[in-house]
Amino acid sequence: MQENLIQGKAMTIEEVFTGRRYRLDTYQRDYSWARDDVRRLLDDLQKKFLANWQFDHDREAVAMYQPYFLGPYVYHDSAPVTYLVDGQQRITTLHLMLIYLRQLLRAQDQDDQAAKLNNLIQSHKFGTSVYTLDIPDRDQLLRNVFEVEDYALPDNASGALRRLWEAAQVYQEEFPEDLRGDALPYFVDWLLDGVCMVGIRASSQEQGWEIYESMNDRGVRLGPIDLLKSYLLSNISEPTGADITWRQMVSQLASIDVNAPGDFIKTFLVARYSDVSETSSDVERINGLFHTWVKDNAARIGLHKPSDHSNFIQDLVRYAEFYRILASASRTYRPELMSLFLNAYNGITAQTAPILAAVEPQDNSATFKLKANLIAQYLEVIFARRLVNDLPSSGGHLDREAVRLTGRLRGGVSVDGLRVILAEEIAALEYDFTGMTTYGLRSNNTRQVRYLLARLTGFVETACGGADEMDRYLDAQRPFEIEHIWSNHFDRYQPETNTRASFDSYRNRLGALLLLPKSDNASYQDLPYEKKVEYYQRRNKLAGSLHSTYRERNPSFNSFIRTHRLDAHFRSFPKFNKDAIGKRQVLYRRLCDLIWSPATFGTASVTATTGRADKSRARTRARYDVAVTDLIAKGLIPAGAKLVGRRRGERFEAAIVDQGRIQVASGEVFGSLSAAGEFVLQTKSCPGWNFWHAQLGDREVRLIDIRREALEKGIL
């Protein structure tokens, strides 16, 4: 009898993956998580970890960090295999994360901890080694997706494999810098020991099926949406009509995806009622049990009498119509709402909050779309400028900017008023596109570089009357790829670049890159420039302009150049050398100024009146409790200090420049020590404070040691 009982046990992630060989039962669905689901898990883990971690903690302190519960999973054993009954989406996504983290640890020479992960990634029993998730169709992808540069799935890959590949791209393209640098080993410790699930063990396959059916088809628990509905309807004397209205609204939202109803209500509450100040916990609470927040803040919302509750539901219905348009435009490309699509591509999930704050129920379709497009364009400007200046530009950072902006846009803002507010916000920024001077492709920004090239290419094409192919440029199936104008042959360019590091730096500059169809890129990427340029002129205008005869008999292109005064920038090059790369870099910066011009918001000359300092450089309590600028301010290192890093016998140099930014020897400037270290080492991870040493006279002292000593002495 005891053997037939269902058994549950709390298990850390290390325990979930230790000594197991998981397979899927026949009734299990394939891997189905989308990019947003993976982002959500990664964002939740990041927030929980960074709320605990401090730079000066010892590794042992991780044992005291607050744990994080990932929910239950169901399994049954049939030696030597454990069959997953429920929970494979989370376990599959975590397994992929462990593989990626192993790569980052190896990049930091944390070989012992990487080996520990290897024992979780694979099981070793009875003389064989297999992946812990023993699903043969996935083996090739798991072996190659993080190891092989530009790994691409076979054309006949299943939908489940494509979704798994997409999940891997989230890690490669969007894994937070906060977790890649000095915090990495701490995060791995916490993930293994502080994140847990409840394993529910069924005694047999049959019992496993019963549990699976019960959990997925019967006895569905009431969620925040149901509880909010119950609260609102209980305060309406005749709730039948409101109940029907509510059900219709939820059903229409659910047609977008299963999370859309809850996401909409959270967005609506943040947009219309929450306190969005930095000291408030409203947004965090709304993103959790939002029905409780509504009850606790009924007076603020204006829920006093039965008619107020009815009117609140009617407001929800109207704003749900707005939200459905925004959600659709975020998923499916619509030229009139381009920036919404592009922001979603770049992981900015909170862009709908300031839009719902700015629109009013009486706004017609044209007014609504105009407001939506202006706000989305503003957020895209912020993203693009931060990106090229190596400032924090992840979806999470831009989401915080979107929530902050929400507070300024409430209260019936008109289109003209909105333009003024956004122009003021742009004028308050401390940075423009100056960083484009040396910006280029790096080990972890392929997605962002592709986005920039797509934006530049698409702008020139459509401005010359060509087709708008932005959605194809960014298609996940990759019909377009990044083309290096310099082929990967150091010997061809050694006379002017001298070193391999210098060659790689120039070859990867944005000015030395194009966006071309995948088939073209594969067929002539190895050719010298003098031959490739003949093919370029038959492709898009940005590529074709490199050819000496491209402007002949090309009236639309010439008109575009005259209109935007680009004669000095669009040049052809018989040879493509370092000087040509620099000139193309200048061209690309000028195109950025045109695409993201402040004039979009009605004026190019508004001055900042908000007194707001941009927060992109601000230090969070968790990671930036001490910054490089603090060391300079206290006289611990001189302004303009020279930095040295060494690895495996190779020496790297850098310097501290304005506002504590790091400039490496090849000229690129970075916002953090870790990012600069990743660049010179050409890795995806670097513990910057440990890697870099300051040159102090005839001594080289690790920055982490300077920092630690200053803290111990109370200087900082």
Side-chain angles (χ1 to χ4, degrees):
M1 187 68 178
Q2 289 292 325
E3 293 177 355
N4 291 328
L5 291 176
I6 298 170
Q7 300 177 17
K9 179 184 177 183
M11 303 174 73
T12 65
I13 296 304
E14 183 172 3
E15 291 172 327
V16 170
F17 284 93
T18 296
R20 293 287 185 178
R21 181 179 174 186
Y22 291 111
R23 286 182 179 169
L24 303 181
D25 247 326
T26 53
Y27 50 80
Q28 265 279 16
R29 61 179 176 169
D30 286 330
Y31 185 70
S32 61
W33 270 19
R35 183 179 282 266
D36 283 348
D37 298 308
V38 181
R39 282 172 173 159
R40 189 176 292 113
L41 173 63
L42 189 54
D43 187 53
D44 288 346
L45 292 172
Q46 177 192 12
K47 287 177 180 177
K48 192 69 173 182
F49 170 75
L50 291 181
N52 290 271
W53 179 67
Q54 292 188 37
F55 196 99
D56 55 352
H57 280 173
D58 293 326
R59 291 278 289 276
E60 291 81 2
V62 176
M64 304 303 295
Y65 289 3
Q66 289 183 317
Y68 182 75
F69 177 55
L70 263 179
Y73 73 102
V74 183
Y75 65 95
H76 69 86
D77 289 318
S78 180
V81 174
T82 296
Y83 285 92
L84 281 173
V85 176
D86 199 40
Q88 74 114 342
Q89 307 296 328
R90 280 163 294 153
I91 290 179
T92 294
T93 308
L94 287 168
H95 186 239
L96 201 61
M97 184 187 294
L98 293 176
I99 298 173
Y100 180 70
L101 290 172
R102 179 180 63 181
Q103 185 189 42
L104 297 187
L105 288 168
R106 287 172 174 169
Q108 291 195 10
D109 293 331
Q110 301 266 358
D111 295 333
D112 289 345
Q113 197 161 2
K116 180 180 179 180
L117 289 192
N118 194 57
N119 291 327
L120 307 182
I121 293 165
Q122 294 178 293
S123 69
H124 312 277
K125 285 188 176 181
F126 308 110
T128 61
S129 295
V130 296
Y131 283 109
T132 303
L133 264 71
D134 184 16
I135 304 170
D137 288 350
R138 300 179 181 179
D139 283 358
Q140 184 179 6
L141 182 145
L142 295 179
R143 281 196 304 270
N144 296 317
V145 68
F146 296 130
E147 301 291 341
V148 177
E149 187 175 355
D150 295 328
Y151 172 75
L153 284 173
D155 292 338
N156 62 349
S158 67
L161 276 182
R162 293 193 180 280
R163 287 186 288 274
L164 195 62
W165 179 84
E166 275 283 318
Q169 302 316 298
V170 176
Y171 293 126
Q172 296 216 86
E173 299 167 350
E174 303 181 48
F175 195 80
E177 185 185 336
D178 289 344
L179 305 181
R180 284 201 315 267
D182 296 272
L184 176 65
Y186 297 80
F187 175 71
V188 174
D189 287 343
W190 176 77
L191 178 69
L192 299 186
D193 193 60
V195 178
C196 63
M197 303 179 75
V198 170
I200 301 174
R201 179 182 177 275
S203 63
S204 65
Q205 182 181 33
E206 292 74 18
Q207 191 179 67
W209 166 251
E210 291 175 2
I211 297 172
Y212 177 83
E213 189 178 39
S214 177
M215 291 179 68
N216 288 278
D217 294 331
R218 304 175 192 161
V220 177
R221 293 177 299 169
L222 294 179
I225 290 179
D226 307 292
L227 295 170
L228 177 59
K229 170 189 170 184
S230 176
Y231 166 71
L232 294 172
L233 295 184
S234 68
N235 286 280
I236 300 174
S237 54
E238 295 292 338
T240 303
D243 180 43
I244 294 172
T245 298
W246 181 279
R247 290 175 184 272
Q248 290 174 340
M249 177 189 72
V250 170
S251 176
Q252 290 170 344
L253 289 166
S255 67
I256 300 169
D257 68 54
V258 67
N259 296 313
D263 289 344
F264 159 65
I265 292 177
K266 293 174 187 176
T267 302
F268 176 80
L269 295 174
V270 169
R272 307 300 295 182
Y273 299 108
S274 71
D275 180 351
V276 295
S277 64
E278 293 184 12
T279 57
S280 171
S281 63
D282 273 6
V283 174
E284 184 177 354
R285 288 190 62 201
I286 289 170
N287 283 323
L289 302 177
F290 54 77
H291 65 288
T292 301
W293 185 89
V294 170
K295 287 191 285 187
D296 292 345
N297 292 273
R300 185 198 303 183
I301 297 171
L303 299 177
H304 303 290
K305 53 186 183 294
S307 60
D308 296 331
H309 294 76
S310 297
N311 292 336
F312 182 75
I313 291 176
Q314 290 301 320
D315 281 348
L316 280 172
V317 170
R318 177 57 177 142
Y319 279 91
E321 294 176 11
F322 291 142
Y323 184 85
R324 283 192 292 120
I325 295 171
L326 300 176
S328 174
S330 297
R331 290 165 170 78
T332 303
Y333 182 68
R334 298 168 64 172
E336 72 275 18
L337 292 172
M338 175 194 293
S339 291
L340 273 164
F341 179 84
L342 297 176
N343 289 341
Y345 173 87
N346 289 317
I348 307 171
T349 59
Q351 63 177 329
T352 49
I355 295 172
L356 293 190
V359 299
E360 293 298 317
Q362 67 272 17
D363 284 346
N364 59 32
S365 177
T367 300
F368 160 67
K369 289 181 180 179
L370 183 54
K371 289 182 178 180
N373 204 39
L374 285 169
I375 293 168
Q377 285 177 317
Y378 164 78
L379 291 173
E380 196 192 354
V381 170
I382 300 298
F383 174 82
R385 289 194 186 185
R386 288 188 184 181
L387 188 64
V388 302
N389 286 286
D390 197 59
L391 296 169
S393 55
S394 68
H397 286 100
L398 270 294
D399 282 346
R400 287 191 283 276
E401 171 66 16
V403 170
R404 185 204 62 78
L405 180 64
T406 296
R408 287 206 72 193
L409 301 185
R410 290 179 183 152
V413 61
S414 66
V415 170
D416 289 340
L418 177 61
R419 288 185 187 277
V420 170
I421 290 173
L422 296 179
E424 290 175 354
E425 293 283 341
I426 293 289
L429 296 178
E430 300 172 344
Y431 48 86
D432 52 18
F433 284 103
T434 302
M436 182 63 81
T437 304
T438 58
Y439 186 78
L441 186 65
R442 295 161 190 169
S443 62
N444 46 31
N445 70 346
T446 301
R447 183 179 181 86
Q448 291 78 17
V449 166
R450 183 174 174 172
Y451 153 77
L452 283 174
L453 289 172
R455 235 7 200 121
L456 299 174
T457 304
F459 172 72
V460 177
E461 288 295 300
T462 55
C464 295
D468 186 342
E469 296 191 281
M470 188 63 65
D471 53 338
R472 293 189 66 231
Y473 295 154
L474 300 177
D475 192 326
Q477 303 308 316
R478 307 178 75 181
F480 284 80
E481 288 186 342
I482 296 171
E483 156 77 354
H484 285 83
I485 298 176
W486 277 11
S487 301
N488 193 17
H489 288 278
F490 172 43
D491 55 298
R492 295 179 186 172
Y493 302 95
Q494 188 171 8
E496 63 175 322
T497 58
N498 296 321
T499 66
R500 178 76 202 200
S502 178
F503 166 75
D504 288 335
S505 171
Y506 279 94
R507 179 175 182 264
N508 287 311
R509 297 271 173 97
L510 200 71
L513 304 176
L514 300 167
L515 195 65
L516 297 179
K518 180 178 180 179
S519 57
D520 292 352
N521 192 31
S523 64
Y524 53 75
Q525 62 178 347
D526 207 41
L527 295 175
Y529 169 76
E530 291 77 12
K531 292 185 178 180
K532 289 199 290 187
V533 74
E534 297 295 330
Y535 296 99
Y536 290 163
Q537 69 170 328
R538 297 197 288 271
R539 295 309 172 198
N540 60 69
K541 292 176 174 57
L542 197 59
S545 64
L546 290 164
H547 197 278
S548 59
T549 65
Y550 192 73
R551 291 184 64 172
E552 297 176 7
R553 296 182 297 279
N554 202 334
S556 62
F557 184 59
N558 288 322
S559 175
F560 164 74
I561 289 175
R562 288 192 300 271
T563 299
H564 295 288
R565 300 178 181 177
L566 294 171
D567 274 295
H569 302 290
F570 265 106
R571 302 183 184 184
S572 60
F573 300 97
K575 292 187 179 296
F576 202 75
N577 53 20
K578 284 170 56 176
D579 182 64
I581 293 173
K583 288 183 170 60
R584 288 287 283 192
Q585 208 86 7
V586 173
L587 166 65
Y588 284 6
R589 176 182 174 175
R590 177 59 185 143
L591 292 177
C592 286
D593 288 332
L594 291 172
I595 294 169
W596 293 293
S597 169
T600 300
F601 306 101
T603 177
S605 58
V606 172
T607 56
T609 60
T610 63
R612 176 181 70 89
D614 182 85
K615 302 294 183 182
S616 63
R617 302 177 196 263
R619 295 170 287 170
T620 64
R621 174 183 175 275
R623 182 168 179 229
Y624 293 107
D625 52 329
V626 175
V628 172
T629 49
D630 295 322
L631 303 184
I632 297 172
K634 295 296 183 179
L636 300 170
I637 58 175
K642 302 298 182 184
L643 303 180
V644 175
R646 287 183 174 83
R647 190 187 191 202
R648 298 173 185 172
E650 192 170 0
R651 187 175 189 271
F652 306 93
E653 296 183 351
I656 301 173
V657 293
D658 62 298
Q659 297 181 312
R661 293 163 64 75
I662 314 301
Q663 184 172 42
V664 300
S666 54
E668 289 82 355
V669 179
F670 298 89
S672 72
L673 294 163
S674 293
E678 289 170 5
F679 179 80
V680 299
L681 295 173
Q682 297 189 40
T683 64
K684 294 181 181 295
S685 179
C686 173
W689 284 86
N690 276 281
F691 175 72
W692 291 109
H693 297 63
Q695 282 191 324
L696 303 177
D698 58 356
R699 296 183 302 139
E700 294 179 3
V701 186
R702 280 195 314 168
L703 290 176
I704 192 172
D705 293 332
I706 297 173
R707 178 187 185 284
R708 183 183 296 115
E709 183 178 354
L711 286 170
E712 290 173 353
K713 293 181 176 179
I715 299 174
L716 293 173

